[in-house]
Amino acid sequence: SNKGLVFRYPTGIDPKQQNQPENQQIIQSLVKKQRDIIYQYRLEHGCNPPREYVKTRMRNDSIPSNATLQDYYKEFMNHKQSAVKHGNIKQQSLVDYTNLHSSLTEFEKLTKKKLLLMYVTEDMVNSFKTFLINNRGMNNNSVSKRLKSFKIFLNFCEAKKYMKLNFDYTQIKVK
């Protein structure tokens, strides 16, 4: 609230389903985003931000709730295909990204839920790594290549401001 005016931001989650773990994660990420916006404004201006400022920033910074990881990956692949045409990356890199896409699709089928960018956590990455080793039977080099491609995808998403992760994904490695 600011000067007695309360700010409410819609989450798009049915109140009856807000206690589900994945919905709690969405709500917590929105709360964190709102707190970050308010904190940054306070640092710069020394007072609480107006409601309209917070509302605009939340709307502009938010990830579409219905967009899946696969949707963002399609955009990423289009970007990489363009880079191959312009000679910025090699064709083999595109093969690596295609292999990652098939691994992520299989991982979604195994977990029986659509992956969203906001679900990308350290635990999710570790589960994906375990899936690659145990279910796909990959050796360390193949798993390392998939994770390297995944980190490049996450870099792309952060550069486009689609997401901001709460863990240092650059430290993801295969032992």
Side-chain angles (χ1 to χ4, degrees):
S1 70
N2 186 5
K3 298 179 184 171
L5 300 172
V6 176
F7 170 71
R8 296 180 193 276
Y9 188 77
T11 62
I13 298 171
D14 183 12
K16 294 175 186 170
Q17 297 177 345
Q18 67 185 8
N19 290 329
Q20 293 177 352
E22 60 270 8
N23 291 340
Q24 281 294 311
Q25 205 171 13
I26 293 169
I27 291 169
Q28 290 303 317
S29 70
L30 289 171
V31 168
K32 183 184 180 318
K33 186 180 300 184
Q34 185 177 1
R35 284 184 180 149
D36 290 346
I37 290 169
I38 292 170
Y39 179 74
Q40 187 63 38
Y41 189 91
R42 281 183 185 161
L43 282 177
E44 293 171 4
H45 300 94
C47 61
N48 285 336
R51 286 186 327 160
E52 287 306 313
Y53 173 82
V54 176
K55 193 180 292 186
T56 303
R57 284 288 309 274
M58 289 290 287
R59 197 175 307 120
N60 292 342
D61 293 351
S62 66
I63 298 167
S65 60
N66 59 348
T68 65
L69 190 88
Q70 298 291 351
D71 295 330
Y72 291 110
Y73 204 82
K74 285 177 192 169
E75 183 180 338
F76 171 73
M77 286 299 290
N78 290 337
H79 175 73
K80 290 302 179 182
Q81 286 168 346
S82 173
V84 168
K85 287 178 187 172
H86 292 91
N88 296 337
I89 63 171
K90 295 181 181 175
Q91 182 67 33
Q92 180 57 42
S93 297
L94 208 55
V95 172
D96 293 342
Y97 299 134
T98 303
N99 291 337
L100 172 62
H101 182 258
S102 66
S103 296
L104 286 170
T105 303
E106 285 183 38
F107 183 66
E108 275 187 338
K109 287 179 184 174
L110 179 77
T111 59
K112 297 180 181 168
K113 64 176 158 177
K114 293 282 184 189
L115 292 175
L116 302 177
L117 275 178
M118 61 184 64
Y119 295 162
V120 177
T121 61
E122 196 168 2
D123 291 337
M124 178 262 163
V125 172
N126 288 330
S127 296
F128 181 60
K129 190 184 333 180
T130 303
F131 162 78
L132 293 174
I133 294 167
N134 295 338
N135 295 55
R136 297 281 308 264
M138 292 184 174
N139 63 26
N140 285 352
N141 289 339
S142 297
V143 173
S144 180
K145 201 179 267 192
R146 295 292 188 287
L147 292 176
K148 179 182 174 192
S149 297
F150 191 61
K151 288 193 287 189
I152 292 169
F153 167 65
L154 295 177
N155 276 334
F156 171 80
C157 291
E158 273 200 332
K160 292 280 190 174
K161 301 206 184 289
Y162 294 146
M163 60 176 267
K164 182 159 175 71
L165 292 176
N166 295 328
F167 72 100
D168 185 11
Y169 61 88
T170 59
Q171 299 301 315
I172 299 170
K173 293 188 180 15
V174 177
K175 296 179 183 172

